[in-house]
């Protein structure tokens, strides 16, 4: 029975490695077509990889670049934003996203962020979700080591040092867990969207008879804060809020 289990595990690993190899080959093939300016073919291969369940920041970034070359700026912005979710500190993604945003109609000035919230967000962006999860495991290992030294310390001074070191390690461990949890939640939530309709009027209520509030154009990023059956309550960067049809955006 154990041999059967071992064979099954070995087969699963082999199949996983084979699938990964195929994905790498397909990614390289798509890059080749992209470099040859055959953007339709490159895009088809890139999106084929995503349909197989493989997603990474470089893949999403390359899809964004392909849409950009095809002058489909709203879709380019969508995929740049998706890539940035996975790698929030990637300057290359940020730069290309800024270029794409400069080519759309709406130029919305964001509301200034409270410095404490910005500080917390900047720290959280230092690592990915997996990075914070790994960091929490390392800090937990250090915490266990400190606890061991605390109970084996022979002097009062050594115990005092290890006690405060343990408290510091515990606080850092909790912070790492919080950042990891927030990152996983942010990546998996689909509460942001890009407007895909050329022009859409945002309403005061989830109805076409609602009062017109303001107009948005394709490529604009919105935050989804509520929704009904066919309408989303959105907020834009300057804090303005209203309702728009769910079909006018693509969520990510």
């Amino acid at each position: 029975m154990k041999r059967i289990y071992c064979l099954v595990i070995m087969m699963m690993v082999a199949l996983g490695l084979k699938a990964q190899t195929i994905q790498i080959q397909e990614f390289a093939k798509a890059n080749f077509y992209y470099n040859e300016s055959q953007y339709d073919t490159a895009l088809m291969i890139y999106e084929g990889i995503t349909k197989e369940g493989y997603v990474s920041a470089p893949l999403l970034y390359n899809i964004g670049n392909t849409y950009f070359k095809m002058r489909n700026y709203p879709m380019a912005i969508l995929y740049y934003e998706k890539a940035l979710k996975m790698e929030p500190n990637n300057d290359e993604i940020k730069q290309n996203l800024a270029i794409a945003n400069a080519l759309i109609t709406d130029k919305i000035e964001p509301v200034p962020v409270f410095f404490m919230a910005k500080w917390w967000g900047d720290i959280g962006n230092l690592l990915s979700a997996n990075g914070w999860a790994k960091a929490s495991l390392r800090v937990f290992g250090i915490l266990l080591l400190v606890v061991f030294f605390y109970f084996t310390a022979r002097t009062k001074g050594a115990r005092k040092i290890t006690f405060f070191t343990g408290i510091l390690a515990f606080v850092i461990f909790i912070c790492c867990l919080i950042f990891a949890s927030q990152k996983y939640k942010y990546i998996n939530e689909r509460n942001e969207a890009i407007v895909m309709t050329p022009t859409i009027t945002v309403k005061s209520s989830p109805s076409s008879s609602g009062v017109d509030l303001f107009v948005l154009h394709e490529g604009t990023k919105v935050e989804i804060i509520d929704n009904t059956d066919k309408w989303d309550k959105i907020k834009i960067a300057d804090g303005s809020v209203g309702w728009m049809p769910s079909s006018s955006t693509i969520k990510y």
Side-chain angles (χ1 to χ4, degrees):
M1 197 69 175
K2 288 182 179 179
R3 286 184 179 180
I4 295 175
Y5 285 145
C6 289
L7 285 173
V8 170
I9 292 170
M10 289 174 66
M11 288 176 63
M12 290 175 67
V13 170
L15 288 171
L17 291 173
K18 183 178 179 181
Q20 189 176 24
T21 301
I22 293 172
Q23 289 163 355
I24 292 171
Q25 291 172 347
E26 289 294 292
F27 187 69
K29 186 191 297 184
N31 290 343
F32 169 79
Y33 285 114
Y34 176 88
N35 291 329
E36 292 295 315
S37 300
Q38 298 183 38
Y39 303 121
D40 288 331
T41 304
L43 183 61
M44 182 179 66
I45 298 171
Y46 284 138
E47 292 186 334
I49 298 172
T50 64
K51 288 176 182 177
E52 292 295 323
Y54 178 78
V55 179
S56 69
L59 174 59
L60 297 172
Y61 174 65
N62 281 15
I63 294 176
N65 285 339
T66 307
Y67 275 116
F68 187 91
K69 289 291 186 179
M70 298 169 72
R71 300 183 185 276
N72 189 337
Y73 303 125
M75 289 299 292
I77 289 170
L78 172 67
Y79 277 92
Y80 287 148
E81 289 283 3
K82 285 183 174 183
L84 202 59
K85 258 191 170 186
M86 301 188 76
E87 290 188 7
N89 278 336
N90 190 309
D91 291 331
E92 196 171 352
I93 298 174
K94 290 180 181 178
Q95 182 180 0
N96 283 21
L97 176 60
I99 294 171
N101 278 323
L103 296 171
I104 62 174
T105 303
D106 296 330
K107 306 293 187 294
I108 303 170
E109 289 295 324
V111 176
V113 181
F114 182 56
F115 80 96
M116 287 292 288
K118 185 178 184 304
W119 174 76
W120 181 261
D122 288 342
I123 295 176
N125 286 337
L126 290 174
L127 297 173
S128 65
N130 287 336
W132 282 115
K134 291 176 182 177
S136 67
L137 291 176
R138 294 190 187 101
V139 175
F140 184 70
I142 293 171
L143 179 59
L144 292 178
L145 194 61
V146 171
V147 170
F148 170 77
F149 282 123
Y150 174 80
F151 285 108
T152 57
R154 295 183 178 181
T155 65
K156 187 177 180 181
R159 281 202 168 193
K160 189 174 182 180
I161 292 171
T162 53
F163 176 77
F164 286 107
T165 303
I167 292 176
L168 178 61
F170 180 75
V171 171
I172 295 173
F173 170 67
I174 295 299
C175 288
C176 288
L177 287 180
I178 292 172
F179 284 130
S181 175
Q182 288 179 339
K183 281 291 179 182
Y184 278 117
K185 183 180 179 181
Y186 176 63
I187 290 172
N188 293 316
E189 275 185 343
R190 297 181 64 205
N191 61 349
E192 293 175 308
I194 302 298
V195 177
M196 291 295 162
T197 304
T199 303
I200 187 74
T201 301
V202 180
K203 302 287 187 175
S204 61
S205 60
S207 169
S208 56
S209 61
V211 177
D212 295 349
L213 296 180
F214 51 92
V215 175
L216 294 178
H217 302 84
E218 59 182 357
T220 301
K221 178 181 176 179
V222 300
E223 179 186 356
I224 310 296
I225 57 177
D226 197 3
N227 67 286
T228 61
D229 184 30
K230 296 181 180 180
W231 290 79
D232 290 328
K233 188 175 185 180
I234 59 98
K235 182 167 71 173
I236 57 177
D238 65 3
S240 299
V241 175
W243 291 86
M244 62 192 301
S246 301
S247 58
S248 58
T249 65
I250 294 181
K251 300 174 181 62
Y252 65 94

